[in-house]
Amino acid sequence: MNSDDAHLLIVDDDERIRRLLQKFLIRSGFLVSSARDAAHARRILSGLEFDLIVLDVMMPGEDGLSLCRDLRSKMETPILLLTAKGETGDRIHGLESGADDYLAKPFEPKELLLRINAILRRVPTSEPAVVAPTVLNMGDIRYDIARGELWQGDDLVRLTATESQLMRIFSSAPGEAMTRARLVEELGRSGGQTQERAVDVQITRLRRKIEADPKQPRYLQTVRGAGYMLAPD
């Protein structure tokens, strides 16, 4: 996906920041809408679909983390958090809330643009299949490698941008253990910025969509001293 196709929603209680970001991102080729708080964002989201949400954490009333958790339970739209807190612990809380990335304030608009484009590049695009797809089976879950799709029976399992990228990485070498450092490197090649601790968070989230019992994973295994491995049937 590129900026010509993408509709962004900016959620920030600071009107000046909303206007500045909206103007900058429109000039960068995006279609941009904005909301002043969580309640306003919910009203907009009830009637429109977006390709990415830029969400401020520190807002009066319902904060960005709470809104992020709630949105993630209902949709898989990528979410980029803006936060004045730059410590690692706060960033981890953001990822645990379901965000795909985070950016600490103050930031350069160009960096925000780079982060947005990196996330959008990780979102898989649907293309017509021209050959029979290669599929990995994990119990009643199957992963279509060619399409980058995870299915449970006839139901498509929605993946976040980062989860989708992780599945592509693991499916490229099933049965091979991958270190956290390698996963960080592979994710970084698509433009993301990920830390090893953040990889653990994303693995935990992905297991909830693959495993019958995420606490005792059968398919997305932890290999002691070596990292993680996808072990399909």
Side-chain angles (χ1 to χ4, degrees):
M1 180 182 296
N2 57 51
S3 62
D4 294 333
D5 304 317
H7 188 185
L8 311 183
L9 175 63
I10 299 170
V11 187
D12 197 306
D13 63 298
D14 189 317
E15 183 178 1
R16 183 183 65 86
I17 291 178
R18 285 201 312 274
R19 288 182 176 180
L20 287 173
L21 290 182
Q22 190 165 18
K23 289 180 180 179
F24 173 75
L25 292 170
I26 288 174
R27 288 198 304 268
S28 299
F30 295 99
L31 177 62
V32 184
S33 299
S34 65
R36 60 184 173 273
D37 55 28
H40 189 197
R42 291 181 191 282
R43 290 195 295 272
I44 294 175
L45 288 164
S46 68
L48 291 173
E49 292 187 359
F50 292 87
D51 298 294
L52 186 142
I53 300 170
V54 179
L55 175 58
D56 185 35
V57 170
M58 303 299 290
M59 294 188 296
E62 183 180 7
D63 65 25
L65 292 180
S66 173
L67 178 59
C68 182
R69 283 191 293 269
D70 185 55
L71 293 179
R72 183 55 71 232
S73 70
K74 301 173 181 177
M75 61 183 66
E76 298 300 332
T77 305
I79 298 173
L80 171 62
L81 289 179
L82 301 179
T83 174
K85 298 178 179 179
E87 293 80 5
T88 300
D90 295 309
R91 296 174 182 180
I92 295 300
H93 288 320
L95 292 172
E96 289 176 335
S97 298
D100 293 86
D101 203 353
Y102 50 80
L103 184 58
K105 294 180 177 179
F107 57 84
E108 291 292 332
K110 185 176 181 180
E111 182 177 5
L112 174 64
L113 179 61
L114 290 172
R115 297 289 186 96
I116 289 172
N117 284 329
I119 293 173
L120 293 177
R121 283 198 300 271
R122 300 201 299 269
V123 176
T125 56
S126 298
E127 296 181 358
V130 294
V131 295
T134 301
V135 175
L136 297 179
N137 293 298
M138 295 160 281
D140 62 348
I141 300 290
R142 69 183 187 279
Y143 180 68
D144 186 323
I145 296 176
R147 294 178 178 270
E149 295 175 346
L150 193 68
W151 293 82
Q152 184 170 27
D154 294 328
D155 297 323
L156 179 65
V157 179
R158 307 301 293 182
L159 297 173
T160 66
T162 302
E163 290 166 353
S164 180
Q165 186 66 12
L166 281 172
M167 282 303 302
R168 289 183 183 277
I169 295 168
F170 282 120
S171 65
S172 69
E176 178 183 335
M178 298 194 183
T179 64
R180 292 178 179 85
R182 178 178 173 184
L183 292 172
V184 168
E185 180 183 358
E186 293 286 347
L187 289 171
R189 289 177 181 173
S190 64
Q193 293 190 6
T194 307
Q195 298 174 334
E196 290 191 15
R197 175 65 182 91
V199 166
D200 295 338
V201 174
Q202 300 293 345
I203 292 292
T204 297
R205 289 169 53 189
L206 186 54
R207 278 174 171 162
R208 293 177 189 146
K209 300 181 179 182
I210 293 176
E211 304 287 353
D213 183 359
K215 294 183 178 179
Q216 296 183 343
R218 175 181 175 184
Y219 299 108
L220 188 46
Q221 301 176 4
T222 299
V223 181
R224 186 179 298 276
Y228 297 105
M229 177 179 70
L230 185 68
D233 293 329

